[in-house]
Amino acid sequence: MTGLAMQTVLYLGLELFCFCLAAHIVIWRVFRPRKQIVLLTLIFTFGPSLMLGIVVLASRIDLSSCGLALLLHLALAAVYINLYTLVAGFSPSIGILERVDESMPRGLQRNELAPPWFNDENLSGARRENLLSSGLVYESGGLLLLSPRGLLVSRIFLTFRRFLGLPDVAKG
Amino acid sequence: MKNSTALAAILTGAPVGLFVAHAVVSRILRYCGYGSVPPQVVGLATAAAGNLPVVFLAWEAALKSSAGNSIDAFYGIAYVLLTYNACCYGYFCVLNLSETSLHVNILMRLLTGGGTRPEQLAHMYGVEEMISARIDRMIALGQLQEKGGRYFLGNGTLVLVGRVINLWRRILRLPLAPG
């Protein structure tokens, strides 16, 4: 691995990410997909395979450089997909702070903090619907219960939190 | 071991190292009486401190032998810093998800408390409960300040994040408000 290869690795990794990001923007502007995170993951997983194939065939970049470039791309893609959940959903914390920001320098009283879209439908209702449609929970006898998939996901988070010494359930 | 393999191993192993270091730092802080420090702050500080050992390891194991001049070294270190910090951000997102996401919170309550009626959930995550849970955290993180019963903006980082998110929503033609 030479210095020149590291320069190639860095630029190739960034190019792969920009290529997938551009594809994502074009697709989203044409139509808004229903399962956005699934399609986003597919774009950022299969997009680089296509581009790397062309790059390897058209140039003399070795496979180890491609592997390192792919690692950079995947790390950036993970960042973007995580950030995208903020773009697609609406953060209650940001909603409160935007409202406080608009009121500055006067500030707000506690009963004025909630933005107009703060209602049960947009808060717990929307989340409950998302969990039901993604198959993580199901309804039976008027109760919401964890599906096997939901059980797996919640156990992973529980293990993660216990390893860090955090309480099992955060305040949310 | 090839240089590229060593570099890949260091960078893919870094998030695991960060996870372990974060757990150790959290416990030390709790032992020293600083248990109230938000986990996000502890995680970010641990990740930032990890830059030095990761760059050192990458330099010793892979970059030193291949970098012919300072330009080569620059590209190598830039690659390591970018990849490591992107991995750290991914880790931070998982941590933040486990702390603040309502989806995860509902799943965790169902796991620890068993089945719940949708009405109970609506009560648990009602507007007032949501605001109460967030106010303490935002004050602890310096995002919000309370003086004489009124709430003021602390550091404006999250508001700036909100503006960038709205700009990105416009680029992707996504709605700017729910509903």
Side-chain angles (χ1 to χ4, degrees), chain B residues 20-52:
Chain B
V20 174
H22 184 188
V24 172
V25 173
S26 290
R27 282 172 170 79
I28 292 173
L29 283 175
R30 197 145 30 105
Y31 182 76
C32 297
Y34 295 101
S36 61
V37 181
Q40 290 99 324
V41 174
V42 181
L44 277 179
T46 313
N51 274 289
L52 210 62

Side-chain angles (χ1 to χ4, degrees), chain B residues 39 58 71 88 136 148 156 161:
Chain B
I71 301 287
C88 286
D136 292 343
V161 169

Side-chain angles (χ1 to χ4, degrees), chain A residues 1 29 68 80 108 144 163, chain B residues 27 66 79 116 151 168 171:
Chain A
M1 188 172 57
R29 285 187 72 88
L68 287 176
Y80 182 73
L108 287 176
L144 277 179
F163 187 78
Chain B
R27 282 172 170 79
S66 64
Y79 170 82
T116 308
Y151 292 87
W168 198 242
I171 291 171

Side-chain angles (χ1 to χ4, degrees), chain A residues 40 77-87, chain B residues 89-91 93-94 97:
Chain A
L40 204 56
V79 169
Y80 182 73
I81 293 170
N82 272 305
L83 279 176
Y84 186 78
T85 56
L86 270 179
V87 176
Chain B
Y89 185 78
Y91 172 80
C93 286
V94 175
L97 211 63

Side-chain angles (χ1 to χ4, degrees), chain B residues 93-113:
Chain B
C93 286
V94 175
L95 172 69
N96 205 36
L97 211 63
S98 88
E99 274 292 305
T100 64
S101 160
L102 288 184
H103 291 103
V104 174
N105 207 264
I106 292 171
L107 290 178
M108 299 302 281
R109 281 190 197 279
L110 292 177
L111 178 70
T112 54

Side-chain angles (χ1 to χ4, degrees), chain B residues 35-174:
Chain B
S36 61
V37 181
Q40 290 99 324
V41 174
V42 181
L44 277 179
T46 313
N51 274 289
L52 210 62
V54 166
V55 169
F56 175 76
L57 275 177
W59 179 259
E60 288 296 321
L63 299 175
K64 192 163 74 176
S65 57
S66 64
N69 55 47
S70 55
I71 301 287
D72 298 342
F74 168 78
Y75 280 111
I77 290 171
Y79 170 82
V80 170
L81 286 176
L82 200 56
T83 312
Y84 168 71
N85 285 290
C87 289
C88 286
Y89 185 78
Y91 172 80
F92 176 76
C93 286
V94 175
L95 172 69
N96 205 36
L97 211 63
S98 88
E99 274 292 305
T100 64
S101 160
L102 288 184
H103 291 103
V104 174
N105 207 264
I106 292 171
L107 290 178
M108 299 302 281
R109 281 190 197 279
L110 292 177
L111 178 70
T112 54
T116 308
R117 295 196 174 279
E119 313 86 71
Q120 277 177 287
L121 216 56
H123 173 72
M124 228 182 277
Y125 299 99
V127 174
E128 187 47 42
E129 285 73 14
M130 296 278 293
I131 290 179
S132 299
R134 273 156 179 77
I135 285 176
D136 292 343
R137 187 172 59 234
M138 288 194 286
I139 289 175
L141 291 172
Q143 293 158 347
L144 200 63
Q145 292 175 343
E146 196 247 318
K147 283 176 203 154
R150 292 190 82 82
Y151 292 87
F152 301 90
L153 194 67
N155 68 61
T157 317
L158 215 52
V159 175
L160 188 68
V161 169
R163 284 188 192 141
V164 174
I165 289 172
N166 275 340
L167 174 71
W168 198 242
R169 281 185 187 131
R170 284 196 178 95
I171 291 171
L172 296 175
R173 288 198 178 148
L174 291 173

